[in-house]
Amino acid sequence: MGSKDLGLVPALVGMISSDSRDARENALGTFWNLSFADENGVYMGSKYVGLLPALVAVISSDSGEARERALGTLRNLSVADENGVYMGNKDVGLVPALVEVVSSDSGEARVIALGTLWILCLYHENIEYLVSCSGMPVVLDAFQSSPRGSVSFQKSLAVLMVSGRNISAARAIVVAGGVEVISPLLDIGGVDGIKAAIILSF
């Protein structure tokens, strides 16, 4: 399933904008399942399919299970190298939408959004865009407000670490008070202490 020859993906894209919540959630659930297969992910992430803008619209305007399914699909699609740079493109609008989710949600949606940002930030151009969207203070706030050791804590720390290698992001972290927030981990040591040392060394 998911082959472009079956016409399944374009049909499901149309269902995402349906007035029926059940239809939307079923379509999103199908996309989430299909996105685990690499051969489906590359095709689904193509700009010619139109799926990415539809998913961005869901995470920007919907909530609950629909939002989480859309976020899960986006996270899976972002793993493919063919999709990574395009998904961070300004025309897609995914990066600011993810920043908004991190800022406004404290549950599973935030965790998935942080994980997706971490993957996207493996590409330098996406880090620059994250900085321009004022994303670093938001990620830093998620790190500070999450219980130490929680998934949200680890994901936000990972985003800060991978982004910090970019000079613009490193400056944004410092300006947002990141040194004061991150440096206590140095005293704790362990893996988190090493990650903190890496961030503060940039």
Side-chain angles (χ1 to χ4, degrees):
M1 292 183 70
S3 168
K4 58 186 176 182
D5 296 326
L6 296 178
L8 176 63
V9 171
L12 288 171
V13 170
M15 290 177 63
I16 292 179
S17 58
S18 169
D19 292 333
S20 167
R21 186 174 186 85
D22 287 342
R24 289 200 310 274
E25 291 189 352
N26 287 335
L28 290 166
T30 302
F31 275 130
W32 182 73
N33 288 323
L34 291 173
S35 66
F36 283 99
D38 291 341
E39 64 271 20
N40 292 338
V42 173
Y43 172 60
M44 288 163 60
S46 167
K47 62 182 179 181
Y48 303 107
V49 174
L51 174 59
L52 294 181
L55 293 176
V56 170
V58 171
I59 68 172
S60 299
S61 61
D62 220 318
S63 60
E65 192 170 355
R67 172 183 263 188
E68 290 180 9
R69 287 179 177 179
L71 283 165
T73 301
L74 287 163
R75 178 189 56 197
N76 292 345
L77 297 182
S78 68
V79 174
D81 289 335
E82 295 89 341
N83 295 339
V85 174
Y86 172 62
M87 289 179 68
N89 191 289
K90 291 183 179 181
D91 293 337
V92 177
L94 175 58
V95 172
L98 291 172
V99 170
E100 176 57 29
V101 172
V102 174
S103 175
S104 62
D105 198 299
S106 59
E108 182 65 16
R110 171 189 270 190
V111 171
I112 303 172
L114 285 166
T116 307
L117 282 174
W118 173 71
I119 296 170
L120 292 179
C121 285
L122 295 175
Y123 306 91
H124 276 280
E125 49 268 70
N126 293 341
I127 300 175
E128 292 283 351
Y129 189 24
L130 177 61
V131 173
S132 72
C133 295
S134 301
M136 302 317 300
V138 172
V139 175
L140 190 64
D141 181 69
F143 166 77
Q144 191 172 16
S145 63
S146 300
R148 184 171 178 268
S150 67
V151 179
S152 181
F153 177 93
Q154 295 297 340
K155 294 291 186 183
S156 53
L157 185 60
V159 175
L160 293 169
M161 186 173 71
V162 74
S163 300
R165 61 202 170 101
N166 176 284
I167 189 168
S168 298
R171 288 173 177 167
I173 291 171
V174 171
V175 170
V179 175
E180 293 80 4
V181 173
I182 298 169
S183 57
L185 290 180
L186 297 174
D187 297 327
I188 296 173
V191 175
D192 290 344
I194 293 172
K195 292 178 180 178
I198 291 172
I199 296 169
L200 297 175
S201 68
F202 291 126

